[in-house]
Amino acid sequence: MADEIINRVANSKLVTIDLEDYYPKGPRIVFDIKDWLFEGFVLREKDFRDQVAAHDWSKYENCYVALSCSSDAIIPGWAFMLISLHLEPFAKHIVIGSLEDLETSVYQNIINNLEVSEYADKPIIIKGCSKKPVPQNAYIMLASKLKPVAKSIMYGEACSSVPLYKNK
């Protein structure tokens, strides 16, 4: 009989973690306040508060929202806080910044709550390629969270992984 092909990867204790599996569903929206500023640059408190009060916040139900201002205006901190307080009953998550900042914050919450004891003394591969916008910071956060418990940490696929850490 010819030599049988053995799938050593399938028979190993190797555990693959794909951050894409943790990607939460829901629309991502950038909320730009530039249009609520006088000539796109000046925040007039009364006018701004009127805009906030008149806006239909319910359209952000179950959304992830990044608050930003695309003009070079100087925005006081209370303005974003005011908007976030109106968004809070509807949005799943709110940050000030870009979509990248939003995804990083979402993944930070996910990774902070991730139970890693099941990965104790196991070789771990953090899967690299993703079709969803998993931020690079999420990979760093996950590796840091796994380091105290993992036997080893690699990046990529089982057939072509890059070793990153080995517990001695």
Side-chain angles (χ1 to χ4, degrees):
M1 197 174 234
D3 290 336
E4 183 179 340
I5 297 174
I6 298 171
N7 185 339
R8 291 182 7 207
V9 172
N11 294 334
S12 74
K13 293 181 179 179
L14 195 61
V15 178
T16 300
I17 300 175
D18 186 351
L19 282 172
E20 191 173 68
D21 293 341
Y22 296 93
Y23 188 81
K25 293 180 181 176
R28 273 57 170 173
I29 295 172
V30 174
F31 187 97
D32 188 351
I33 67 167
K34 178 185 71 126
D35 295 334
W36 288 4
L37 306 177
F38 178 71
E39 295 183 358
F41 287 101
V42 178
L43 188 146
R44 291 183 171 169
E45 184 176 351
K46 183 182 179 329
D47 295 340
F48 187 80
R49 286 182 179 277
D50 290 345
Q51 291 274 10
V52 170
H55 193 71
D56 177 15
W57 298 103
S58 67
K59 63 184 173 184
Y60 301 97
E61 184 81 40
N62 295 318
C63 292
Y64 295 85
V65 182
L67 303 174
S68 72
C69 181
S70 60
S71 74
D72 289 332
I74 297 171
I75 307 299
W78 65 260
F80 290 118
M81 291 170 60
L82 180 65
I83 291 171
S84 72
L85 291 172
H86 282 80
L87 275 169
E88 186 269 329
F90 304 103
K92 287 184 178 180
H93 195 74
I94 307 160
V95 299
I96 297 173
S98 65
L99 286 176
E100 177 83 11
D101 297 328
L102 177 64
E103 295 297 352
T104 297
S105 179
V106 167
Y107 268 96
Q108 185 167 22
N109 290 342
I110 291 167
I111 291 168
N112 284 346
N113 294 313
L114 188 64
E115 179 56 52
V116 295
S117 61
E118 66 184 277
Y119 304 114
D121 299 319
K122 293 183 180 171
I124 308 293
I125 290 184
I126 300 173
K127 187 172 183 261
C129 296
S130 178
K131 293 177 179 76
K132 296 178 180 167
V134 176
Q136 287 296 308
N137 283 322
Y139 295 98
I140 293 169
M141 291 183 279
L142 180 59
S144 293
K145 178 104 180 196
L146 291 169
K147 184 180 176 192
V149 299
K151 179 178 180 182
S152 64
I153 301 173
M154 295 166 274
Y155 175 81
E157 302 287 337
C159 60
S160 61
S161 61
V162 177
L164 301 174
Y165 169 77
K166 186 165 182 121
N167 190 353
K168 298 190 190 264

